[in-house]
Amino acid sequence: MDGMNILVINCGSSSLKFQLINAQSEQLIAKGICERIGMDGSSMTYSPADGEKQETAAPMKDHTAAIRLVLNALTDDKTGVVKSLDQIGAVGHRIVHGGESFAKSTVITDEVLKAIEECNDLAPLHNPANLIGINACRELMPQTPMVAVFDTAFHQTMPEEAYLYGLPYHYYEDYRVRRYGFHGTSHSYVSHRAAAMLGRAYEDLKIIVCHLGNGASISAVKEGKCVDTSMGLTPLEGLIMGTRSGDIDPAIIEFLCNKENKSVHEILNVLNKESGVLGLSEGFSSDFRDLEKGYRAGEAPSIRAMKAFAYRVAKYIGAYTAAMNGVDVICFTAGIGENNPFIRNMICSYLGYLAITIDREANEKRGQEMEISTFDSRTRVLVIPTNEELAIARETYALVK
């Protein structure tokens, strides 16, 4: 199977991101996104690695229609990158929630689909969309092997004391209510990459990965295993995020239901979509580029939001340093972690106790792999652009080759 091409599919509720990657060379061949699936004004952006980016407005009534467009684009006579679908050796699907059923990636069978479906109520926004993507691919490419790569799998090594909540134990036994964590593919990729950058064995390190994007989470990776992570049963727990509240006193929910005469569902919608830095900045923005401008201009809402965000990240780094009894390296990744020197600096200003000094010049760079701590820092600080699609392609290839 020389030069196998892997199609990586990441289905959201109304979007579908895709990349075609050569498994041997790990070169990106083409990528794109379908947006507003099932809505008016749906469109596809398609970029072959060595060609022009194309945007096409096209009606997509569902994910099957979107995948059909993707496959047509990849095999198109003029702008395609493969002659036929036979040149796609496997499809890797990102699945958000694998519950306790999946501690690693797996080849998709009917049984696997059923187990993914059983996690639907744990990730009602994501898993059903992920399943639709799988079914659409199976319909259009019935002979091509498919692999499920789970956002939760990397965190399945957490010990019981880290994943259990202080609830009656039967809720765990009856409904599997526990911490699962997300962004696992990213945490795995970045922590492995950190060990390679430092020239150290993965199993010898204590690593903290800060995946800071619109959704944000932190993980503690000790001696090659994830031992804790900040997101919980759902991606709502943990850090203050773009629009999500992160950790709050659970009694706030009942309090707001009574004060605002709203249902629990309505308040959870506020916690997921109207909170985080968007809420703290009084609805100004969930985009850290806007918030940084506001901060520098001395605008109180932006300052408040940025300070609260940085503080919460620093607090989790402290907690995970305690959980692992030390830390060797702290990694920043994802949209904010990779591209925002200002927020990295704010977070690291709390970390003097770890004997960290930030190299100001190195930290001013954006979006590239680098060390931003000075040579005399006891704890190393790295910026590592995440590549979840490449990680999914690697996992897929390992299972089908």
Side-chain angles (χ1 to χ4, degrees), residues 45-362:
T45 306
Y46 167 70
S47 310
D50 49 6
E52 297 283 302
K53 179 170 162 182
Q54 303 153 23
E55 290 193 38
T56 320
M60 292 174 238
K61 70 175 196 311
D62 54 25
H63 288 73
T64 310
I67 286 179
R68 193 170 276 123
L69 278 173
V70 169
L71 298 177
N72 288 345
L74 292 170
T75 54
D76 183 88
D77 289 346
K78 293 196 178 73
T79 55
V81 287
V82 288
K83 287 191 176 63
S84 76
L85 292 183
D86 298 339
Q87 292 185 302
I88 297 173
V91 184
H93 293 269
R94 175 190 179 221
I95 310 294
V96 167
H97 216 307
E100 286 190 327
S101 304
F102 300 102
K104 53 181 190 290
S105 304
T106 185
V107 174
I108 295 170
T109 61
D110 291 343
E111 291 75 36
V112 167
L113 281 179
K114 199 162 162 290
I116 294 171
E117 208 170 305
E118 281 163 10
C119 298
N120 276 3
D121 55 353
L122 293 174
L125 291 178
H126 297 94
N127 269 36
N130 300 159
L131 282 164
I132 291 166
I134 294 171
N135 286 323
C137 280
R138 288 179 106 196
E139 188 184 319
L140 298 167
M141 310 166 74
Q143 301 307 312
T144 309
M146 311 262 159
V147 169
V149 181
F150 299 92
D151 253 21
T152 46
F154 179 65
H155 306 302
Q156 280 291 308
T157 52
M158 282 189 285
E160 192 177 60
E161 61 270 26
Y163 70 67
L164 284 179
Y165 291 113
L167 295 168
Y169 188 66
H170 68 86
Y171 288 139
Y172 169 65
E173 293 180 301
D174 297 344
Y175 311 117
R176 289 293 178 253
V177 173
R178 52 159 286 180
R179 175 181 310 285
Y180 287 100
F182 299 88
H183 299 132
T185 314
S186 175
H187 286 289
S188 172
Y189 175 85
V190 170
S191 56
H192 278 95
R193 189 71 204 116
M197 280 173 76
L198 298 180
R200 299 270 304 273
Y202 189 53
E203 292 72 27
D204 291 346
L205 289 167
K206 295 173 181 176
I207 305 168
I208 293 174
V209 177
C210 305
H211 176 106
L212 309 179
N214 195 34
S217 67
I218 297 194
S219 66
V221 183
K222 183 182 183 182
E223 295 162 2
K225 288 193 172 86
C226 176
V227 294
D228 208 345
T229 190
S230 57
M231 282 179 168
L233 174 77
T234 75
L236 184 56
E237 193 186 355
L239 301 174
I240 290 169
M241 307 178 214
T243 64
R244 292 179 212 148
S245 65
D247 299 335
I248 63 163
D249 174 350
I252 290 170
I253 296 172
E254 186 191 32
F255 181 84
L256 289 178
C257 286
N258 294 338
K259 288 283 184 197
E260 300 261 313
N261 194 20
K262 287 191 161 108
S263 68
V264 170
H265 178 75
E266 287 172 303
I267 294 300
L268 276 172
N269 207 41
V270 171
L271 297 183
N272 270 301
K273 296 180 178 166
E274 298 170 28
S275 301
V277 292
L278 178 69
L280 284 171
S281 67
E282 297 168 48
F284 169 59
S285 183
S286 63
D287 188 313
F288 278 73
R289 289 166 292 200
D290 300 336
L291 293 169
E292 185 183 335
K293 278 185 198 139
Y295 191 107
R296 290 181 187 277
E299 291 161 11
S302 294
I303 293 171
R304 173 196 311 135
M306 294 275 276
K307 278 186 160 175
F309 177 85
Y311 174 74
R312 195 69 70 89
V313 175
K315 196 164 106 168
Y316 263 98
I317 291 172
Y320 288 170
T321 301
M324 296 192 289
N325 194 10
V327 61
D328 298 306
V329 55
I330 295 165
C331 309
F332 288 102
T333 192
I336 300 157
E338 293 165 27
N339 299 300
N340 198 314
F342 191 70
I343 205 86
R344 290 194 298 249
N345 212 38
M346 279 179 86
I347 294 163
C348 290
S349 69
Y350 286 95
L351 307 179
Y353 66 96
L354 294 173
I356 289 173
T357 315
I358 293 303
D359 179 333
R360 287 192 175 279
E361 197 180 320

Side-chain angles (χ1 to χ4, degrees), residues 1-6 21-26 89-92 105 147 149 390-401:
M1 282 188 155
D2 197 41
M4 185 192 283
N5 298 322
I6 308 266
I21 294 170
N22 179 291
Q24 275 78 9
S25 67
E26 300 198 335
V91 184
S105 304
V147 169
V149 181
L390 177 57
I392 291 170
R394 282 176 180 166
E395 298 261 332
T396 302
Y397 182 57
L399 283 169
V400 301
K401 70 178 178 192

